[in-house]
Amino acid sequence: MLELPNNFKIKIINRYGETGKKWLENINIVIEKYQKQFNLETIELIEDLSINLILFAKCDLYGDVVLKIGAPSPSHEIEIMQQYSPNYVAKTYYASSSDKVQLLERILPGYPLNNLENMEERVKIFAKLANALFIPATGKESFETFENILNKRFHYVAENKIHFSDILWMIHTSNELYHKIQAMHLPKYILHDDLHHKNILKTETGWKAIDPHGIIGEKIFECTQFIRSEIENGILEKSRIIKIIDLVSQHFNEDQTFILEALYVYTIDKIIFYTKNNYSKKRISYNINVAKEILNLIDSQN
């Protein structure tokens, strides 16, 4: 029987309540089911768990694998992983939507993108991978749209203004900027939506992505989570943000002001999400400071 870390169990219960408790109670049954089905050995729980349960194991059929059990919340990860080329994401050996289980290739050596010291090299690798993953949306997909996600966030703010009193003006600005982007009527794509440094891993021959969210939105929003990750990779200062935006503009082939506007919208989205889900005040405060720096840069370019 696998004993999960207390902080992980608390995180699951805080976010999912009774559903989370039942998920935790059932987790060992799910693990044992797939351990037997694939004859998994040397099962090892990864140290830095987020919301999903991730186990490393060895399998007679596939060698080094990852057994991933999805958190008790709606997810399109299995669906989008099946659409990606295995040249750019971890291979899916098996997936069960009912159990929210995936048996995946374990990427080796598997160190994340932020292990590279050179910023330009990191941006170059990200841009190449992101462009390889773009899937044009047809309008028939079941994936949630970024527009719908944002509308839910703004609705939550409207009903809980007391929690956002100091930054309502920032949220209003974000809403205006997103409407500006919408008015451009840009093509929509199925986005990974979580291409930060730790979700881009080194393989023996290149780099692959893991853990896609799978949402539909404008292409520009694929670079925003990476930029946020890049900003957090160092000291928060204006000159460094300018350098990051300049490099992304070059390698992602987008206008700098446009990138900043999308980045601001995405950062405000995260601030609302962090507030709603009781993330630490330190994390929320840091992201508010990031948003202010971005807004200052937007104003200086107008």
Side-chain angles (χ1 to χ4, degrees):
M1 181 174 178
L2 183 69
E3 183 59 38
L4 300 180
N6 281 331
N7 62 341
F8 177 72
K9 291 189 284 189
I10 292 169
K11 190 190 305 183
I12 291 293
I13 292 170
N14 284 345
R15 181 171 294 190
Y16 302 109
E18 286 300 319
T19 302
K21 288 181 182 179
K22 291 179 182 178
W23 185 82
L24 290 168
E25 290 168 0
N26 193 52
I27 202 72
N28 275 293
I29 296 173
V30 176
I31 293 170
E32 289 172 12
K33 174 182 176 179
Y34 290 98
Q35 183 179 7
K36 290 177 181 178
Q37 183 171 334
F38 292 101
N39 193 26
L40 302 179
E41 297 181 346
T42 60
I43 294 177
E44 174 189 355
L45 183 68
I46 72 163
E47 294 181 1
D48 188 20
L49 290 170
S50 57
I51 287 297
N52 303 303
L53 186 66
I54 310 292
L55 301 166
F56 293 149
K58 287 190 179 294
C59 173
D60 291 341
L61 189 57
Y62 303 116
D64 290 295
V65 295
V66 173
L67 181 66
K68 180 172 184 177
I69 305 173
S73 58
S75 170
H76 291 288
E77 181 175 345
I78 290 176
E79 185 180 348
I80 192 171
M81 284 290 282
Q82 292 171 345
Q83 296 190 44
Y84 283 143
S85 165
N87 292 327
Y88 305 110
V89 298
K91 296 175 185 174
T92 301
Y93 299 126
Y94 173 87
S96 167
S97 297
S98 57
D99 286 336
K100 302 192 71 177
V101 162
Q102 296 177 83
L103 190 70
L104 303 165
E105 165 195 15
R106 182 176 177 184
I107 297 173
L108 295 169
Y111 58 79
L113 187 61
N114 57 346
N115 274 32
L116 298 185
E117 293 185 3
N118 186 278
M119 182 191 292
E120 183 166 6
E121 186 65 17
R122 293 194 299 266
V123 174
K124 183 178 179 181
I125 290 166
F126 154 74
K128 181 179 179 181
L129 185 57
N131 280 300
L133 293 177
F134 281 128
I135 302 172
T138 64
K140 299 178 181 180
E141 296 87 357
S142 60
F143 301 112
E144 191 165 21
T145 66
F146 185 54
E147 177 183 2
N148 189 43
I149 291 170
L150 272 180
N151 285 337
K152 288 179 181 178
R153 300 276 198 256
F154 294 142
H155 181 72
Y156 177 79
V157 170
E159 292 190 336
N160 298 272
K161 289 184 179 180
I162 190 171
H163 299 309
F164 302 94
S165 56
D166 292 341
I167 60 166
L168 282 174
W169 66 275
M170 297 177 70
I171 295 170
H172 177 70
T173 301
S174 171
N175 196 6
E176 288 183 335
L177 287 174
Y178 185 61
H179 285 312
K180 178 182 174 182
I181 293 171
Q182 282 184 303
M184 297 170 72
H185 301 293
L186 298 169
K188 299 293 195 303
Y189 293 84
I190 302 172
L191 307 178
H192 179 290
D193 188 47
D194 204 24
L195 270 181
H196 57 72
H197 292 64
K198 291 184 179 180
N199 281 346
I200 301 174
L201 304 180
K202 183 72 173 72
T203 74
E204 292 179 350
T205 57
W207 296 83
K208 287 188 176 184
I210 61 170
D211 296 346
H213 286 173
I215 69 167
I216 292 176
E218 291 83 357
K219 184 182 286 189
I220 188 66
F221 288 106
E222 193 69 286
C223 72
T224 49
Q225 183 68 319
F226 170 81
I227 297 171
R228 284 168 42 76
S229 184
E230 190 64 55
I231 291 171
E232 291 179 5
N233 201 42
I235 299 171
L236 178 59
E237 55 184 25
K238 183 178 179 180
S239 60
R240 191 169 178 280
I241 296 176
I242 290 172
K243 182 178 180 181
I244 295 167
I245 298 301
D246 179 54
L247 288 171
V248 171
S249 176
Q250 293 176 42
H251 291 287
F252 209 72
N253 196 29
E254 291 286 0
D255 176 77
Q256 290 190 23
T257 302
F258 186 40
I259 294 172
L260 285 167
E261 290 172 345
L263 179 60
Y264 181 80
V265 171
Y266 198 85
T267 301
I268 293 297
D269 169 72
K270 290 300 178 186
I271 291 168
I272 300 169
F273 173 81
Y274 294 153
T275 303
K276 180 180 179 181
N277 289 284
N278 298 313
Y279 279 64
S280 70
K281 291 182 179 180
K282 181 178 179 181
R283 186 167 188 176
I284 294 169
S285 178
Y286 174 81
N287 277 273
I288 290 172
N289 289 334
V290 170
K292 288 178 178 178
E293 287 290 345
I294 296 167
L295 195 56
N296 288 336
L297 287 171
I298 293 171
D299 290 340
S300 69
Q301 295 192 6
N302 291 332

